[in-house]
Amino acid sequence: MLAGRGRKNLTGPYVLTFSCADAVGIVAAVTGLLAERDGFILDSQQYADLDSGRFFMRVEFRGAGPRFPADFAGVQAAFAPIVERFAMDARISDRAAKPRFVIAVSQGSHCLNDLLHRWSTGNLAIDIVAVVSNHEHQRRLSEWHGVPFHHFPVSDANRAEQEARILDLMARSGADYLVLARYMQVLSSDLSAKLAGRCINIHHSFLPGFKGAKPYHRAHERGVKLIGATAHFVTSDLDEGPIIEQAVERVDHRDSVDDLIRIGRDVEAQVLARAVRWVAEQRVLIDGRKTVVFR
């Protein structure tokens, strides 16, 4: 399926990403079409998964002559025969149309604050259209950045209703993605399925060793030497969705619990920001239980 929100743009840049069954001639078909239509390739990456037999590709391009389609719809139409020929799971987007994000947060501010700062300073090419939380703690931070804040309290009794409000908010704001920026609630299997490939989570990388409360305290008691963070797509399997990005930092016996928490929060913010950036730039393709990331 070809999807995208575009505007009339004679030059682009545009991005085509796709996966399909591996076959001879895929790259030639894509690059040949661009050459025939006066398209200029800015960046191209591909990967063949020999285990699954799937082929993945990302091409960023722009118009460079009179034969290039005059608008976004024309670009989509030009690629439609190739998409059909190779049965591609494909997406074309206009880089000028920034993807829209809703950020969910609980009480911790480090990941939310980092994303809002990067976005407000022009260093993260997305539109943050709303912040949603089951607590009021981050209202002031969100509204200071000019982002609407929505307080949706949640309990076992109203979880289905609360999740429906999140989906409604995403629909009304035209959001493409939901980011769980230390949102300390487990999404239902139903919501996870509805947001498949569109919901990003971040957590510390102690899992599955130190589940539950106070993981840094228990890691400190065990003398852990590496701490880190994992960003992944959300699925119905808790914290086991396709991994987008990870990072680690070395620690030792001199680091207190507070040191571990501080270092861990820094790593979480950096890893989540990279994951959001790569997803926004269409650099992440899901390959079964893992991802292909064209950095």
Side-chain angles (χ1 to χ4, degrees):
M1 177 181 178
L2 294 176
R5 179 172 58 249
R7 62 179 177 79
K8 189 170 183 179
N9 189 331
L10 298 180
T11 60
Y14 302 98
V15 176
L16 166 68
T17 54
F18 65 86
S19 66
C20 61
D22 203 358
V24 174
I26 299 173
V27 176
V30 171
T31 57
L33 173 64
L34 287 171
E36 291 170 3
R37 297 298 188 94
D38 290 334
F40 182 81
I41 295 175
L42 301 171
D43 181 69
S44 179
Q45 299 181 65
Q46 69 251 8
Y47 169 71
D49 187 335
L50 300 181
D51 293 327
S52 68
R54 299 287 293 178
F55 182 81
F56 301 83
M57 190 169 185
R58 179 186 187 274
V59 184
E60 186 169 345
F61 57 94
R62 60 178 296 178
R67 292 177 296 180
F68 192 78
D71 56 22
F72 182 72
V75 174
Q76 290 182 303
F79 277 99
I82 293 178
V83 170
E84 182 178 2
R85 173 185 169 189
F86 292 100
M88 295 175 174
D89 181 6
R91 180 184 177 192
I92 299 176
S93 67
D94 182 348
R95 284 296 303 273
K98 297 177 182 178
R100 300 165 71 84
F101 283 75
V102 169
I103 302 177
V105 63
S106 288
Q107 299 185 59
S109 64
H110 55 288
C111 287
L112 172 63
N113 185 58
D114 183 80
L115 291 174
L116 288 172
H117 174 73
R118 293 174 190 264
W119 165 72
S120 65
T121 55
N123 291 309
L124 190 60
I126 64 174
D127 281 336
I128 299 177
V129 296
V131 172
V132 61
S133 180
N134 56 322
H135 295 277
E136 283 278 7
H137 294 66
Q138 303 309 326
R139 177 182 293 277
R140 182 178 179 183
L141 173 63
S142 303
E143 293 181 347
W144 186 85
H145 282 277
V147 178
F149 180 89
H150 302 266
H151 180 215
F152 293 167
V154 63
S155 66
D156 291 339
N158 77 333
R159 188 170 304 278
E161 177 187 350
Q162 192 254 15
E163 291 188 344
R165 295 179 71 186
I166 293 176
L167 283 176
D168 179 66
L169 173 63
M170 292 184 67
R172 287 188 289 106
S173 61
D176 303 289
Y177 299 97
L178 176 67
V179 177
L180 308 183
R182 299 303 287 161
Y183 179 65
M184 308 306 290
Q185 294 290 319
V186 178
L187 301 190
S188 68
S189 295
D190 181 63
L191 183 58
S192 298
K194 289 177 179 176
L195 294 178
R198 301 196 297 131
C199 185
I200 304 167
N201 188 30
I202 183 71
H203 60 71
H204 58 77
S205 288
F206 295 137
L207 296 174
F210 301 111
K211 292 183 179 180
K214 296 188 175 181
Y216 288 99
H217 291 73
R218 288 182 286 140
H220 184 265
E221 292 171 358
R222 289 288 304 278
V224 164
K225 305 305 182 188
L226 288 173
I227 64 174
T230 296
H232 63 90
F233 287 114
V234 171
T235 66
S236 58
D237 296 322
L238 180 61
D239 293 329
E240 294 186 12
I243 294 170
I244 304 169
E245 172 64 338
Q246 293 178 297
V248 297
E249 286 288 342
R250 181 168 291 281
V251 295
D252 61 30
H253 58 278
R254 295 168 294 182
D255 293 304
S256 66
V257 172
D258 288 341
D259 290 329
L260 298 190
I261 293 173
R262 172 181 53 80
I263 295 169
R265 286 175 175 172
D266 287 345
V267 178
E268 287 173 0
Q270 293 167 21
V271 168
L272 182 58
R274 287 198 291 267
V276 168
R277 181 186 303 278
W278 294 340
V279 168
E281 294 178 353
Q282 274 188 240
R283 297 184 180 276
V284 184
L285 288 79
I286 295 178
D287 182 13
R289 297 184 62 187
K290 56 187 179 180
T291 61
V292 173
V293 182
F294 293 123
R295 292 186 288 180

